[in-house]
Amino acid sequence: MPNRETKLHLLLIAPVAICFTAFFLIPLGKLFLIGGSGEFGWMAYTAVFTERRYVESMITTVLLSLLVTLVTLVISGIAGVFLARNQFAGHSVLTAMLTLPLAFPGVVIGFMIIMLGGRQGLFPALTEWVSGERVVFAYSLVGLFVGYIYFSIPRTILTVMAAAEKLDPRLEEAARSLGARPLQVVAHVVVPALYPALLAAGAICFATAMGAFGTAFTLATKINVLPMVIYTEFTMQANIAMAAALSFVLGLITWLALGLARSLTGNSVAAAA
Amino acid sequence: MPTNAPNESRNSGAHISLRQCSKSYRANRVLQPLDLDIRAGETLVLLGPSGCGKTTTLRIIAGLDTPDAGGAVLFDGQNVTAVPIERRNVGMVFQSYALFPNMNVGDNVKYGLRVRGYAPAEAHSRAQQMLAMMRIEELASRRIDQLSGGQRQRVALARALAPQPRVLLLDEPLAALDARLRDTLRVEIDRLLRSLGITAIYVTHDQSEAMALGDRIAVMEKGVVAQIGTPEDIYFRPSNAFVSDFVGTMNTILHNGARYLFRPEDIELVDRSSAQFSGTVVQRQFLGDHVQLAIAIDGNQEQRPVTARADSRTAPPLNASVGLTLRPSH
C-alpha cells in the first residue's frame, strides 16, 4: 500500500504526467503506428534510409543544420565573449536586438531574407552596381542558411555570454605570460572553458535548424530540407504514412542530438532553450 | 630544509627598471609617475593596502597593462614597453592560481614549454624537474580540481618557472590560503627564490610576508612609493607615519611636551614605582605565545591607547594599573 507521502508525490506529478502522455506519448505512438500503416507497411521506415529522395533530403538537412550550428557558434562565441567582457553605451540595447529574432516566426525571417537576397532585394542591387550581374540567393539553400544563422544567434548568444562572464580572465593572462599567442589562448583556454556552453547551445541550435519549417516554406518549395519533404508528402502526395515515418525519424535525430549534448556536458541542456 | 632545486636553472634573471611609469583610467590616476629599479636576482616586495597601485605596477612590468605615454619599462636596459606579455618571458603566479582546468598538473606545467615549441620529451623532463623542485612529483597526472589550495599554488609556481622566465611576478600568491598553509608555503617560496636567484616581484598587503620574503620592500600608498628599502629600514626607520603604521604597530605617547614613537616590543611592563609611564589595561587578548595589551597611559594627550606585549603566564588582568618603561635607544 502506498503511504501518504507516495500518494502526495503521485498527486504532484499528475499534471505533468497527463500533459506528457496527452501531448507527447500518445501522438508520438500514433505517429509511429501511422508510419507503418501505408501501402508499404513498416517498410516506410526503411524507405527513409533507402529511397534516394529521402536520403538526399536527410543528408542535406543534417549537413545544413551542422553548418548552421558551427557558423552560429563561431559568431555567437566571439560576440558573446565580447559582450560579456566589455561595457559600453548601448550595450543592453545591442544585446536586446541580438536576441530579438527569438520572437520572430520563421515566415517573418523568410520575408526578411527575400528583402535582402530576393529578386528585388538589396544584395542583387548591390552586386549589379558592383559587377553588373544580379546575384539572387534567397530562394536556395544559401538563403535558408542565412536565415537560419540569423534566428540561431539569439538561441546561442545568451548561453555563451553567461558562460563567458564566469570565465576567469586570469586564466588567459596566465596563458599569455607563458608565451601563448592570442589564437593559442583562444584554442587552449577560452574554447575549453566555454565548451559545455557551446555544446549545449549547439545542440539547441542544431535541433531547431533540423525542424525549422516556416523560413523554408516562405523562401521556396523546391528546397529539399526534411520538413519541406514531410509537408509535400503530406499535402501534395497525400502519402500520410511516409510523412509520419519521416516525422518520427526527424524527431528521433533531434532528440538524439539533444541527448548526446546532455550526456556530454553533464548538465541541463534544456536550460539553454 | 633540503634544497633540491636543479642547479642548471640557477639564473639571475633580468634587471628591471621603470621610468616615469604612471597609469590612469579616464581621469583617475591610480599610479603616479614612478621610477623603480629591481636588481637582477633581487626580490622586491610591493606592499600596501588595496588600491595603492601595487598590482597596477606589477601588471605594467608583466605587460598586461601599458603605462601612460612617457613611461618606459626596461628589462636589462632593453625597452620592452611595447612588447606584449607573451614575448616578455615573465612568469606569473596569481592569488586565484589560474591553473587550466582542462589540463592535468603535468600538462599545466608543460604548457609554457609546449607553446614555445619544446620537443615533447624535453618538455616532459623539464616539467618533471619542476614538479620535483616543488616536491609534488606524485601529482603529475592529477586533475586540478583534485588538488588542495597549497598544492595548486605549488603547481602554479612550477608552471611559471618551467620556461625559465627573466622575472617571476607574484600577485598575492598566499592570500587565498589558510594561515598554517600560508606559513609553510611562504618558507617554500623563500627557499625557492633564494636558491634560484631569480628576479622576483611580489605583491602583498601582508607585512609579515613582505618582511620575510623581500630583499627590499616598496611600501605604496595612493599610487606613490612611500618608502623603499630593506625590511630593517622599513621597520626601524619608517620615513613617514603611513609606513610606520602600515608596517607593524607604532605607538605614540605625547607626555609632558615630549613625543615618543615606539614599537610594541620596545616597551616593557615594570613595577609602577620605577616606571617611566603609568596606565590602565583597557583591552587584553590572549594569543598563546604572548598577551597583547591595550594600555591607556595616564596623562597621554594622544587619544589612542598604547599596544604592548606581555608574557602569557604573567600578564596583568584587565583594568589593572601598570607601569611602563621604554627600552634603551628610545
Side-chain angles (χ1 to χ4, degrees), chain A residues 171-184:
Chain A
L171 283 180
E172 289 153 67
E173 293 176 355
R176 292 184 64 198
S177 77
L178 291 164
R181 281 170 278 115
L183 274 180
Q184 289 176 315

Side-chain angles (χ1 to χ4, degrees), chain A residues 33-48:
Chain A
L33 292 178
I34 292 173
S37 70
E39 51 181 312
F40 304 112
W42 295 106
M43 294 300 280
Y45 283 97
T46 54
V48 175

Side-chain angles (χ1 to χ4, degrees), chain A residues 16-39:
Chain A
V16 73
I18 290 166
C19 285
F20 185 69
T21 311
F23 299 109
F24 184 73
L25 284 184
I26 293 174
L28 198 72
K30 183 77 178 155
L31 194 68
F32 183 68
L33 292 178
I34 292 173
S37 70
E39 51 181 312

